[in-house]
Amino acid sequence: MSVRNAHRSFGDLTVFTGVNVDVAPGRCCAVIGANGTGKSTLLGCVVGVDRLDEGVVEIHGVPVDESSPTLRRQVAAVLGDVATFAHLTAHEHLQLVATGHGVTDPFDAATQVLETVGLAASADRLPLTFSSGQRRRLALASALVRPRRLLVLDEPEQHLDDAGRRWLASTLEAEKRAGGTVLMVSHDVALVDAVADQVVEADRWS
């Protein structure tokens, strides 16, 4: 994943300018800094839900195009709350996500990822009944249940307790060992220290 000479502004407000980031497979890059420095905006540009005014984002050498099926197969992201259908259980929700991304056995994939994120006992519950921490784990499960080469996470530690944050660090380490690339925004110093191979300081962008 590569960001080159990225610039984004809203009217007269420059959010960031001259940003350059390269993250190789098997590595994690953490973007840190104060609120309002454009961290989440950059992630949105990386996954194609926002656009740079100048510069380019490439994933495996191909410029980002949110409408491209190839990009959607390569990038999994959690940028906020993940929408769920009110009448679907957690397991059914993950089956739907897996099916939409061409997973061969969606039922088995959903079962396995619920075990991975510690929600196996809640598989048949409606997400609306979940605690904030459980909803965060389900959001992460929605990214982990599908094929991906780049995992993009905006403050994935939100709403997780100490045990949940240790689980998250272990999960991201496993992602790297499998050859995946991780780009995340985080305010959790311990998480950054545990999993980040490189750190980008957003406070220096402006």
Side-chain angles (χ1 to χ4, degrees):
M1 191 281 301
S2 176
V3 178
R4 282 281 171 268
N5 299 315
H7 175 90
R8 186 71 173 100
S9 61
F10 298 103
D12 295 331
L13 174 65
T14 297
V15 181
F16 54 74
T17 190
V19 175
N20 295 284
V21 182
D22 287 289
V23 193
R27 293 176 64 85
C28 172
C29 176
V31 184
I32 65 172
N35 291 331
T37 51
K39 303 183 302 299
S40 297
T41 300
L42 177 68
L43 296 195
C45 293
V46 167
V47 303
V49 297
D50 195 1
R51 293 188 177 183
L52 296 173
D53 297 304
E54 298 176 19
V56 64
V57 178
E58 293 183 343
I59 297 175
H60 299 289
V62 179
V64 164
D65 176 5
E66 196 276 338
S67 66
S68 166
T70 300
L71 175 72
R72 292 198 297 270
R73 283 193 297 268
Q74 292 183 343
V75 181
V78 179
L79 303 185
D81 292 332
V82 171
T84 58
F85 290 96
H87 62 285
L88 294 184
T89 66
H91 197 284
E92 290 167 341
H93 165 73
L94 293 174
Q95 286 185 66
L96 182 63
V97 174
T99 299
H101 288 91
V103 175
T104 303
D105 188 342
F107 185 93
D108 185 59
T111 300
Q112 289 189 29
V113 79
L114 283 168
E115 182 69 35
T116 298
V117 303
L119 290 177
S122 301
D124 295 325
R125 288 175 52 195
L126 298 176
L128 290 175
T129 69
F130 282 8
S131 67
S132 57
Q134 288 173 319
R135 288 196 297 272
R136 173 55 58 169
R137 287 177 183 250
L138 181 61
L140 293 165
S142 298
L144 299 175
V145 78
R146 45 157 300 181
R148 63 203 175 274
R149 298 176 70 183
L150 173 64
L151 183 61
V152 180
L153 306 173
D154 194 358
E155 298 184 42
E157 72 275 7
Q158 279 192 343
H159 308 301
L160 295 179
D161 58 15
D162 289 343
R165 293 184 183 211
R166 289 192 296 271
W167 160 80
L168 176 61
S170 176
T171 298
L172 296 182
E173 282 295 320
E175 188 78 9
K176 294 196 300 177
R177 287 194 300 273
T181 304
V182 180
L183 176 66
M184 70 175 183
V185 166
S186 179
H187 292 286
D188 186 324
V189 175
L191 177 64
V192 171
D193 287 345
V195 304
D197 301 290
Q198 58 199 86
V199 175
V200 174
E201 297 182 30
D203 298 321
R204 298 183 179 181
W205 290 347
S206 56

